Amino acid sequence: MSRKVDSVKDINDSKETWRLAVRIMDVWSVVNNKGIEHLEMIVMDSLGDRIQVLIRHDHLLKWKEAIELQNIPPKGYFFKDFGEILQGKCKTDRLEDIIGAVSEINHIQSNTPGKKVVVSVVLKDLKGNCINCNLWEICGSKFLAYYNDPKNNGAIVILLTHAMVKDGQVSNAWSGSKLLINEDIPEIQDFMSKLPTNEQKEKPTQSAKSLSNWSGGSQYSPVERFVHNAKCMSLSQFCKIKHETLCVTVATTLKFVVSKYGWFYYGCTRCSSKAPNPEKAYECSCGQKVEQPIPRYKIEIYVSNGESKYRFVFWDSECAAILGMTAEFMHNSMVENGEDDPMVYPDELEMLLNKKMAFRVKVQPTFSQASVWKLCDDEAFVKEIENDYIVEDNQSKTEYAKLVPNKENLETSAQTLSTSGENDPESIILMTPAKDVVIADKGEEVDFEASGATQLSGTKPSKKLKIEPSS
């Protein structure tokens, strides 16, 4: 007597053996750092319910013979609504398909020792909702290659499969995620055709540091965008922070901290990454062939608020916006006047001091400093943040900033930041992909060593991927 076919939605830990009739929606191979390979698949039953499956290394050959990887039917996509992501109506142990138009590029981190390639972009859906999307390693490099190709003009629509969702933003998983950029498939072409005509012709640019020019989702004001997912606190509370944390504060620039490297570094001519050797040509991870690295600002300044003081690191784009000149121009002017010592601070840098500003920073308690990500010195902007968002010392608990799209309170949680052992232009505030999420046939958590699965992060426990009912 044959066993009946079970449904994906019925799978639980009451027994170890289940019989499923499923369609393979997607399949990929994963090789860990020991060279051990396993397969992972997304399968769907006749009811439309999906589950992730892991084929262990010791069963690999049997399964490779049983399925033809080249003949897997075209993937069916199940796109997650951006509104649900922003409202937290999604689970972090599920992988989602994402599609959206790139409205701006927040940051580019190049591949340097101790760092991984990552590109942070803002994705916008057809309703105007915006979310952050972090593209790591292969996906980030693929995006940069496409973006930097002069033949590619106009809007960029990306489709990211099996994306991880956390804290209102998404990122590709270590394995399994696929990035499609403006490809000739119905889903992307249909999305592109529904964009306003003017947006179809506009290629996204790297974000300007002047927040008053931000043109993201219409339901968020520049201030709301500035404080999103950050802890808003007074400067005096920075000393209590024990781990890298994204914060918003208001402070006044006080005086320079003379670093042993001076006021600039040599970097790429296109992005802000540091050159491996200031005297040699090289090809940057952003794709730029650099014949001669150029000076870029890196200035450490003490900022104060009342009696509190903290060291902030200001990077190239922020300094250039305030000073109205590039570090290359300022350095060349000094050389023309017979001065080439980076320890000599030009008088023009004094324009950075005695300014009251709102700061969005990554506090790095290990180095007793904060890296400036965004800033604004507009008086009304600063006053609104200071009056409406900053948590004072006498409050019992530091709260995360809230966004209020469409007049509905959506409380957000703070981003988890990956610890960095360096402080350079590649420091970035991003969600780091967690380790692979794997499911055995019987619904148990898999031992990575025994299965040969990839374990790329030791900071978080492994999770079971939840069965996702069809919608």
Side-chain angles (χ1 to χ4, degrees):
M1 182 176 179
S2 62
R3 292 173 49 194
K4 71 179 183 68
V5 175
D6 300 304
S7 298
V8 167
K9 67 179 182 180
D10 295 328
I11 296 177
N12 54 52
D13 57 3
S14 63
K15 61 179 182 179
E16 295 186 354
T17 305
W18 300 83
R19 184 169 184 247
L20 301 174
V22 296
R23 172 186 176 184
I24 300 176
M25 303 298 295
D26 203 2
V27 60
W28 61 93
S29 175
V30 179
V31 180
N32 69 5
N33 55 7
K34 296 181 180 179
I36 301 175
E37 181 185 9
H38 72 274
L39 289 181
E40 295 185 25
M41 300 187 294
I42 301 294
V43 300
M44 182 175 69
D45 65 12
S46 60
L47 299 177
D49 296 322
R50 295 172 293 155
I51 191 170
Q52 184 177 351
V53 177
L54 179 143
I55 308 300
R56 296 163 61 109
H57 174 70
D58 49 351
H59 295 162
L60 188 62
L61 293 179
K62 175 182 176 180
W63 276 87
K64 278 190 172 182
E65 293 173 357
I67 60 176
E68 293 290 338
L69 300 186
Q70 295 83 0
N71 296 324
I72 299 299
K75 176 176 170 56
Y77 300 103
F78 300 83
F79 296 119
K80 191 65 176 178
D81 184 84
F82 283 16
E84 293 184 2
I85 292 175
L86 291 171
Q87 296 177 47
K89 294 182 178 179
C90 50
K91 297 185 178 180
T92 58
D93 54 2
R94 289 182 180 170
L95 304 178
E96 306 286 358
D97 295 334
I98 301 295
I99 188 170
V102 178
S103 65
E104 68 177 10
I105 301 171
N106 277 338
H107 202 102
I108 297 174
Q109 176 173 291
S110 60
N111 188 14
T112 56
K115 301 284 185 180
K116 300 181 186 298
V117 174
V118 58
V119 180
S120 175
V121 303
V122 175
L123 291 184
K124 183 167 67 173
D125 66 10
L126 296 174
K127 300 176 183 178
N129 295 315
C130 292
I131 61 172
N132 287 329
C133 176
N134 305 317
L135 302 174
W136 291 81
E137 300 200 70
I138 294 177
C139 289
S141 297
K142 180 177 180 178
F143 179 86
L144 288 176
Y146 183 92
Y147 182 79
N148 293 326
D149 189 335
K151 295 181 296 183
N152 297 323
N153 296 309
I156 297 179
V157 175
I158 68 174
L159 190 160
L160 183 63
T161 69
H162 308 152
M164 298 189 303
V165 181
K166 184 177 180 181
D167 296 337
Q169 59 180 327
V170 301
S171 70
N172 59 289
W174 284 123
S175 62
S177 289
K178 296 179 182 178
L179 178 66
L180 306 179
I181 307 174
N182 282 3
E183 296 199 15
D184 189 16
I185 62 173
E187 292 81 3
I188 288 181
Q189 294 305 313
D190 180 63
F191 190 101
M192 182 74 77
S193 67
K194 294 178 181 178
L195 290 174
T197 304
N198 63 316
E199 292 186 15
Q200 293 182 26
K201 300 177 181 179
E202 294 179 0
K203 185 175 183 178
T205 58
Q206 294 193 43
S207 60
K209 297 303 178 181
S210 173
L211 294 178
S212 59
N213 295 327
W214 180 77
S215 58
S218 59
Q219 72 270 40
Y220 298 142
S221 71
V223 170
E224 290 172 330
R225 172 70 176 164
F226 192 88
V227 302
H228 179 48
N229 272 354
K231 282 188 174 182
C232 298
M233 60 173 64
S234 62
L235 194 66
S236 62
Q237 294 174 302
F238 277 30
C239 62
K240 302 175 184 177
I241 296 176
K242 303 300 181 183
H243 306 285
E244 287 191 349
T245 306
L246 176 62
C247 295
V248 166
T249 194
V250 171
T252 301
T253 51
L254 190 62
K255 63 180 180 180
F256 295 119
V257 180
V258 180
S259 91
K260 61 180 179 180
Y261 301 110
W263 58 273
F264 69 90
Y265 66 95
Y266 285 96
C268 173
T269 54
R270 173 181 287 166
C271 69
S272 60
S273 62
K274 188 177 181 179
N277 188 323
E279 299 179 354
K280 293 185 178 180
Y282 71 103
E283 183 172 352
C284 183
S285 60
C286 73
Q288 178 76 353
K289 293 183 179 180
V290 181
E291 296 297 329
Q292 175 60 55
I294 62 173
R296 289 191 177 275
Y297 294 111
K298 180 190 175 185
I299 302 175
E300 299 180 18
I301 299 177
Y302 276 123
V303 301
S304 65
N305 191 327
E307 297 181 356
S308 302
K309 185 172 67 173
Y310 209 78
R311 182 162 56 102
F312 279 16
V313 180
F314 290 70
W315 299 103
D316 188 67
S317 55
E318 289 83 7
C319 294
I322 296 175
L323 298 171
M325 67 183 77
T326 65
E328 181 181 21
F329 179 86
M330 187 175 294
H331 176 258
N332 290 342
S333 298
M334 291 184 65
V335 172
E336 290 175 1
N337 293 324
E339 183 59 73
D340 192 27
D341 186 354
M343 301 303 295
V344 176
Y345 283 54
D347 293 339
E348 289 83 355
L349 295 182
E350 298 289 333
M351 294 172 60
L352 297 172
L353 302 182
N354 301 313
K355 286 183 174 290
K356 185 175 183 179
M357 293 184 277
F359 294 96
R360 182 180 174 95
V361 299
K362 179 173 70 173
V363 180
Q364 300 168 308
T366 302
F367 307 99
S368 299
Q369 68 178 28
S371 181
V372 176
W373 191 32
K374 291 184 179 180
L375 56 80
C376 184
D377 61 356
D378 178 78
E379 185 176 350
F381 188 99
V382 173
K383 186 175 181 180
E384 182 175 349
I385 288 183
E386 193 171 34
N387 293 342
D388 297 346
Y389 289 92
I390 298 298
V391 178
E392 300 298 336
D393 295 341
N394 58 0
Q395 295 193 4
S396 59
K397 181 180 180 181
T398 300
E399 297 180 349
Y400 295 113
K402 297 179 181 179
L403 294 182
V404 194
N406 300 323
K407 299 183 179 180
E408 293 181 7
N409 289 333
L410 304 177
E411 186 169 0
T412 60
S413 59
Q415 282 174 287
T416 300
L417 305 180
S418 59
T419 303
S420 170
E422 298 179 53
N423 296 286
D424 55 16
E426 292 79 31
S427 295
I428 189 170
I429 304 168
L430 294 171
M431 177 179 71
T432 307
K435 67 173 67 173
D436 287 344
V437 179
V438 291
I439 297 295
D441 298 346
K442 56 189 178 182
E444 294 180 348
E445 294 184 32
V446 177
D447 182 279
F448 282 93
E449 293 297 330
S451 67
T454 307
Q455 187 175 7
L456 296 179
S457 171
T459 60
K460 299 179 182 178
S462 59
K463 302 175 181 178
K464 295 181 181 179
L465 188 71
K466 295 289 195 305
I467 300 167
E468 181 170 336
S470 60
S471 54

